[in-house]
Amino acid sequence: MKIQAFLLCALLSAGAARAADLPALWAERVKSTVAIEYVTQTELERRPTVSYGTVVDTNGTIILPSAAIDLRIAPKQLKDFKVYLPGDPEGTPAEYLGRDAYTGWHFLRAGAAVRDRLVPITAFAKTSREPQLADEVWGIGLRNKDEDFTPYILQSHIALIQSLPQRTAIAQQEVAGPGLPVFNREGEFMGLGASSFGQTFLEFSGAERDGSPIMLVNLEESSAFLAAGEVIPYVGRIPSNAFGRPLAWLGAYGLEPMDREVATFLKLQSQSGAVVSEVLEGSPAEKAGLKAHDIILGVDGKPLPRFKPDRVVIDYVERLIAARAPGDAMVLSILRGSERVEVTARLDDEPRLVREADRMYFEKIGFTAREFVYGDAIARHAKVGHTGGVVAHLVKPNSPADIAGLRPDDWIKEIDGSEVGDFAAAVQKLSGIEKDMMRSETVFLVSRGSDTAVLRIKLH
């Protein structure tokens, strides 16, 4: 009994010591967290947004989760980035560096004025131990701007560890804000808060005897976090430009997970597969001989791991591509019918994206014309390289264009009976209409899905 009592006292003393150390650990580790505020400047408004980030080096580099910035927004529309330290009401300017396609993170850099008050998360990454079930972990959350981004602590235990495809720990309850760090009891960095996981509940009311399922999502806190091993090796992937280029591109479109019944029939239960829905015109996949309905079973001689749920394999394959550079070779092991073949694709730079497309707003008509890019042709099942026109990117409410029935994403193929060759030709034509004070209307021929419509836009 005396031995048991001694051991119990020792455990209680160790726990008390760790608990006593937590305020000191907190005081240093909270310096790795920041709030970021920026403005999205559109033709009609300035929309402020707040997100939370983690400092990753001594140069004041900060990473934000992918969802922090809408990928449809052009970088030049992102204005006035500011860094706020937890509990400090005064923000200081920051620079947007771009998004890394492999990690999905957005990178920013804090101004020199606050860098000496920041501590990179790498200072606390002193262990290579992976998170384990039942580990006690704690993390940081930040309140809203009207509360000066006051930091607060969250604590929990790890309940589940999965590959999604990145190694992800899921705690019993919320353990950090999305994009903010998680630590163990010794203060070692264990991971980075992931996007919030929704939780399903049954809702009952007096009028209903059966419960109706509802989904609740906590946008400010998350019970899931990426393991440190999925974070620390990649904090140096700072983009060289705002678009994150170069971007490796294969051109296998609409990947779908291999059906489990098909996998059982083919005796492939121990691995995953990605089914190719479509091979894009002119893509590296087409040049390599990849075909629709091919099943990708491996890359560079390694079979695709078995993932649960099955759809995770799509993210895994896309990350394998994103980790490479244009010009790299990628050997794909393919199941085509009953035949196994290998194809070698040499990756190319991804075609111009929507967020890179040129655009211009025309006040008199009331819409923004956007350059037609490769992705527009794919979405509309048009032949690549033989398309013209522009896309209606934004339509101002109650403007002449809106009243005439123009809608965002309409493909404008003709203006006043003349085909629109490209964006430059459209700008020239539309600018002339804007300047002509005597003109009372203009006519657009637009394509919307499988329909074509003639829109008569009254300018006065």
Side-chain angles (χ1 to χ4, degrees):
M1 292 294 293
K2 289 182 179 180
I3 294 175
Q4 290 178 332
F6 174 78
L7 290 174
L8 179 59
C9 289
L11 288 170
L12 290 173
S13 297
R18 287 198 301 269
D21 289 341
L22 193 53
L25 296 175
W26 166 270
E28 280 300 302
R29 282 145 186 80
V30 78
K31 296 176 183 177
S32 296
T33 65
V34 295
I36 299 293
E37 183 181 49
Y38 67 92
V39 171
T40 302
Q41 178 73 62
T42 72
E43 296 86 340
L44 306 179
E45 62 178 351
R46 284 172 57 86
R47 184 172 64 251
T49 302
V50 171
S51 186
Y52 304 125
T54 294
V55 182
V56 296
D57 65 26
T58 55
N59 294 321
T61 305
I62 298 161
I63 55 175
L64 301 182
S66 180
I69 297 176
D70 189 339
L71 294 183
R72 296 169 298 180
I73 300 297
K76 66 182 180 181
Q77 292 180 284
L78 305 174
K79 310 286 186 180
D80 303 332
F81 280 90
K82 289 184 178 180
V83 173
Y84 290 83
L85 305 188
D88 190 340
E90 297 298 324
T92 58
E95 177 189 5
Y96 180 68
L97 302 177
R99 178 181 179 270
D100 172 53
Y102 178 69
T103 60
W105 299 331
H106 299 272
F107 284 76
L108 291 88
R109 182 154 292 142
V114 295
R115 289 180 195 171
D116 60 349
R117 299 169 62 188
L118 303 173
V119 177
I121 202 65
T122 48
F124 311 118
K126 299 178 180 178
T127 180
S128 58
R129 184 174 71 83
E130 284 286 299
Q132 303 294 319
L133 285 178
D135 275 356
E136 185 176 356
V137 289
W138 62 274
I140 300 172
L142 298 178
R143 300 296 293 171
N144 296 320
K145 184 179 181 181
D146 60 355
E147 299 175 73
D148 295 341
F149 302 113
T150 300
Y152 60 96
I153 192 168
L154 294 156
Q155 292 180 286
S156 189
H157 290 82
I158 295 175
L160 178 66
I161 300 172
Q162 286 186 283
S163 295
L164 296 173
Q166 297 155 287
R167 198 71 173 157
T168 303
I170 303 172
Q172 293 170 311
Q173 58 198 34
E174 286 76 13
V175 72
L180 296 178
V182 177
F183 306 92
N184 61 16
R185 285 305 301 262
E186 288 71 39
E188 296 170 322
F189 175 64
M190 297 301 289
L192 202 63
S195 296
S196 181
F197 274 32
Q199 295 174 305
T200 302
F201 295 83
L202 285 180
E203 182 180 47
F204 295 89
S205 72
E208 296 179 345
R209 299 185 62 182
D210 297 325
S212 301
I214 60 171
M215 178 75 77
L216 297 182
V217 178
N218 184 346
L219 298 178
E220 297 180 352
E221 300 165 346
S222 178
S223 59
F225 63 92
L226 294 180
E230 300 283 359
V231 177
I232 296 300
Y234 309 111
V235 296
R237 292 182 62 94
I238 302 172
S240 59
N241 56 76
F243 297 109
R245 287 196 177 273
L247 298 170
W249 180 56
L250 175 63
Y253 184 67
L255 295 178
E256 296 286 345
M258 177 172 58
D259 184 85
R260 280 295 100 198
E261 292 183 4
V262 173
T264 300
F265 176 77
L266 297 172
K267 297 181 171 57
L268 296 171
Q269 301 95 318
S270 63
Q271 71 162 98
S272 294
V275 183
V276 178
S277 297
E278 183 181 353
V279 176
L280 300 183
E281 181 183 350
S283 69
E286 183 186 58
K287 295 172 184 175
L290 202 66
K291 300 182 182 299
H293 310 303
D294 281 350
I295 303 176
I296 301 173
L297 296 178
V299 176
D300 293 338
K302 297 180 180 179
L304 302 183
R306 177 75 170 95
F307 290 107
K308 296 181 181 180
D310 293 332
R311 64 180 181 274
V312 172
V313 70
I314 307 307
D315 289 336
Y316 180 79
V317 172
E318 290 175 347
R319 281 172 58 80
L320 288 179
I321 297 168
R324 300 166 191 244
D328 288 352
M330 192 172 191
V331 181
L332 304 175
S333 301
I334 303 297
L335 183 64
R336 180 176 295 160
S338 59
E339 182 185 6
R340 288 180 180 256
V341 297
E342 283 196 347
V343 300
T344 300
R346 191 158 297 279
L347 301 177
D348 203 346
D349 198 16
E350 188 165 5
R352 196 165 165 88
L353 301 171
V354 168
R355 66 177 181 269
E356 298 175 284
D358 292 329
R359 58 192 72 181
M360 182 174 289
Y361 180 63
F362 296 93
E363 175 66 36
K364 186 175 179 180
I365 304 171
F367 89 112
T368 296
R370 175 178 61 73
E371 176 187 5
F372 192 91
V373 296
Y374 185 97
D376 292 312
I378 299 305
R380 292 162 174 78
H381 303 287
K383 191 169 180 60
V384 175
H386 295 82
T387 56
V390 291
V391 176
H393 180 72
L394 175 145
V395 180
K396 182 179 179 180
N398 300 316
S399 67
D402 180 45
I403 294 169
L406 188 67
R407 297 293 175 261
D409 291 328
D410 279 355
W411 180 10
I412 303 168
K413 306 180 78 171
E414 292 183 9
I415 299 175
D416 294 333
S418 300
E419 289 189 1
V420 179
D422 56 17
F423 179 74
V427 167
Q428 183 178 14
K429 183 77 172 177
L430 293 167
S431 296
I433 294 170
E434 289 271 299
K435 294 174 182 177
D436 188 350
M437 302 305 295
M438 302 302 295
R439 180 185 282 266
S440 61
E441 69 175 26
T442 183
V443 179
F444 288 180
L445 176 69
V446 304
S447 174
R448 183 183 302 161
S450 58
D451 298 326
T452 300
V454 174
L455 305 180
R456 192 173 297 277
I457 301 173
K458 300 292 184 180
L459 301 177
H460 297 297

